[in-house]
Amino acid sequence: MEFAVPEELQTLSARIGTFVRDDIIPHEHDPRWTSHGPTDDLREELNGKAKTAGLFPFHVSKGYGGLGLSHFGKAIAFEAAGYSMLGPIALHCAAPDEGNIRLLEEVANPEQKKRFLEPLAKGETRSCFCMTEPAPGAGSDPGQLQTTAEPDGNGFILNGKKWLISGAEGAAFAIIMARTGNGEGEATLFLTELPNPAFKIEQVIDTLDSSFTGGHASVSNEGLRVSGDAVLGEVGRKGFRYAQVRLAPARLTHCMRWLGSAIRAHDIATGHARSRTAFGKPLGAHEGVSFMLADNEMDIHMARLAIWHTAWLLDKGDRASAQSSMAKVFCSEAIDRVADRSLQILGGPGITRDTIVERIYRESRAFRVYDGPSEVHRWALGRRVLEGRMQ
Ligand SMILES: Cc1cc2nc3c(=O)[nH]c(=O)nc-3n(C[C@H](O)[C@H](O)[C@H](O)COP(=O)(O)OP(=O)(O)OC[C@H]3O[C@@H](n4cnc5c(N)ncnc54)[C@H](O)[C@@H]3O)c2cc1C
């Protein structure tokens, strides 16, 4: 494996870094970054800045105006974008759109690509992915899927509740997972344009995090009619597999973006450890603080290596299911530790909104739950170990 980062990716990373520092970080106190995420107004303004900087949309296929980055290329670029939580929003490489673009590229038919993927990839629309349901429905266990899709003429009628759906409010379309049979695993993905009165947003939920445009909504599908050409891929049995097409790389891109935020928290803590004094010397000269900085560096380094290795496997065409699970668990927990230590090093100011560390600490916590809670990945990995399927 080649660890040297190609020059063009170093240049891209530096350009994104400068853009995020100069054009995006000054917006972090913008009141349009609400508790339900950045407003569309703020997002569009930041997208405009990214266009001016020649970085929009940079990560998508060349056919849609991007650079067609490999997974490894994304690892380098998304880390730089994540230095501000608004960076991925500005650069249109945030969840859930980034994962949906990938899913549509792999599974959509030509007509669906033209109608849904093209405007999404070009950053003209937003989208959402609707899998999770309130109890007793689908969560960690997608097999508990309750939403039904009943055949009706040449289409289907969908009924059921979804919740924690990022970006549903304001999305131009939804990808909805519904049960198309009673057998185990009979799930189908459907595309539907929004708004639609039968896709009812009941509430944008108040949550710990606030970095997703549109927040997270509960949605009620009440007799939502979709035509036969709304089926993404094939009917039945493949819905869960398609979801995996989306989820394995999508959980890795979350790791990349959050790594950038962890580095930001660490940089702020390092600056504070150099300048603030206590007991006659800089904080960083106290071993207890320097050890925290060293632990931050180790977590950041190991997280980056886990991301790079998984990205390298994905680029070779490997599904990298086990590696992406390991990377997701390790990165989400390492990033949490870095945010926690950084806040601790800041002392009182760490608790205030004077720095972004407080927000990174809060926001990164949710990553240990979405795209598979740590325990579910550990459980799945444990099964692989026992069955000798780790290689
Ligand atoms: C910020 C955020 C954004 C999200 N965005 C979306 C979205 O856009 N679309 C979407 O469909 N969903 C979304 N989700 C939902 C997310 O995918 C689910 O929360 C996640 O899959 C867990 O499901 P659950 O919440 O129902 O928890 P449950 O399945 O009820 O699990 C609860 C807890 O039980 C434990 N647990 C579960 N199974 C096991 C096991 N086998 N072994 C050990 N412990 C276990 C874990 O600790 C887990 O955290 C989002 C969630 C969050 C927090």
Side-chain angles (χ1 to χ4, degrees):
M1 183 176 178
E2 175 60 78
F3 283 95
V5 178
E7 207 177 316
E8 67 272 17
L9 286 179
Q10 289 184 40
T11 306
L12 177 65
S13 167
R15 276 182 67 203
I16 293 172
T18 305
F19 168 70
V20 169
R21 277 184 179 79
D22 294 351
D23 292 326
I24 301 304
I25 287 179
H27 281 278
E28 286 179 343
H29 288 288
D30 193 312
R32 291 173 295 171
W33 190 1
T34 72
S35 60
H36 291 157
T39 61
D40 276 309
D41 186 43
L42 175 57
R43 175 182 63 83
E44 281 163 17
E45 186 177 323
L46 300 182
N47 290 166
K49 287 175 186 275
K51 279 177 196 155
T52 306
L55 287 165
F56 190 95
F58 76 94
H59 68 93
V60 298
S61 306
K62 289 186 176 159
Y64 300 119
L67 299 170
L69 290 181
S70 64
H71 293 281
F72 182 69
K74 287 180 188 169
I76 305 300
F78 287 16
E79 179 187 311
Y83 201 70
S84 167
M85 283 177 277
L86 293 178
I89 303 284
L91 293 157
H92 189 44
C93 61
D97 290 333
E98 185 266 328
N100 289 344
I101 290 171
R102 199 189 136 66
L103 174 64
L104 292 173
E105 274 185 331
E106 292 243 342
V107 180
N109 64 35
E111 201 277 320
Q112 292 168 336
K113 282 185 177 160
K114 181 133 197 60
R115 194 158 139 215
F116 295 101
L117 173 59
E118 193 173 317
L120 181 67
K122 289 181 173 169
E124 294 160 7
T125 58
R126 284 202 291 109
S127 62
C128 62
F129 186 80
C130 310
M131 185 162 89
T132 308
E133 301 169 335
S140 304
D141 180 0
Q144 295 180 175
L145 189 66
Q146 304 281 307
T147 298
T148 55
E150 296 288 340
D152 179 68
N154 74 339
F156 294 84
I157 305 275
L158 272 61
N159 278 292
K161 290 190 183 304
K162 299 282 179 185
W163 82 318
L164 290 166
I165 305 308
S166 308
E169 174 87 4
F173 70 92
I175 301 169
I176 306 173
M177 185 183 277
R179 182 172 286 285
T180 33
N182 291 324
E184 196 182 318
E186 288 202 43
T188 302
L189 296 179
F190 294 92
L191 283 157
T192 188
E193 261 158 4
L194 299 176
N196 183 322
F199 180 96
K200 202 166 138 208
I201 297 192
E202 293 186 326
Q203 187 197 359
V204 179
I205 308 161
D206 289 331
T207 55
L208 182 68
D209 74 316
S210 61
S211 51
F212 293 77
T213 309
H216 313 289
S218 8
V219 176
S220 181
N221 294 297
E222 294 166 0
L224 174 66
R225 191 170 202 295
V226 294
S227 57
D229 59 14
V231 172
L232 182 57
E234 290 172 35
V235 176
R237 298 216 164 262
K238 287 210 171 157
F240 295 137
R241 194 176 67 71
Y242 295 144
Q244 284 312 314
V245 165
R246 181 184 182 282
L247 287 175
R251 68 173 74 106
L252 196 67
T253 55
H254 272 306
C255 295
M256 298 167 186
R257 292 181 291 257
W258 280 121
L259 178 61
S261 291
I263 293 168
R264 174 90 177 279
H266 176 54
D267 284 353
I268 293 169
T270 305
H272 191 74
R274 288 192 183 116
S275 61
R276 170 80 168 149
T277 56
F279 304 100
K281 53 187 178 182
L283 288 179
H286 293 278
E287 197 176 66
V289 174
S290 72
F291 276 20
M292 284 197 273
L293 292 173
D295 285 339
N296 275 0
E297 280 291 340
M298 286 190 271
D299 272 334
I300 288 167
H301 181 64
M302 299 313 288
R304 188 181 283 128
L305 288 181
I307 293 168
W308 285 13
H309 179 240
T310 311
W312 176 76
L313 286 171
L314 289 169
D315 283 334
K316 286 201 314 168
D318 195 303
R319 284 181 63 200
S321 305
Q323 289 81 5
S324 81
S325 273
M326 290 191 284
K328 199 278 175 179
V329 174
F330 184 82
C331 290
S332 61
E333 296 180 0
I335 286 159
D336 239 27
R337 290 192 293 269
V338 171
D340 184 76
R341 287 187 208 107
S342 299
L343 190 148
Q344 190 70 14
I345 290 168
L346 288 172
I351 306 296
T352 71
R353 302 210 166 144
D354 288 356
T355 81
I356 195 75
V357 173
E358 168 269 342
R359 197 160 193 166
I360 295 171
Y361 174 80
R362 275 190 289 122
E363 307 263 340
S364 60
R365 179 61 181 85
F367 184 34
R368 280 167 52 197
V369 174
Y370 56 76
D371 280 11
S374 294
E375 296 71 30
V376 176
H377 285 292
R378 283 195 167 89
W379 170 70
L381 284 163
R383 269 195 325 201
R384 276 179 178 270
V385 172
L386 292 169
E387 292 165 9
R389 291 189 295 115
M390 280 308 289
Q391 297 314 316

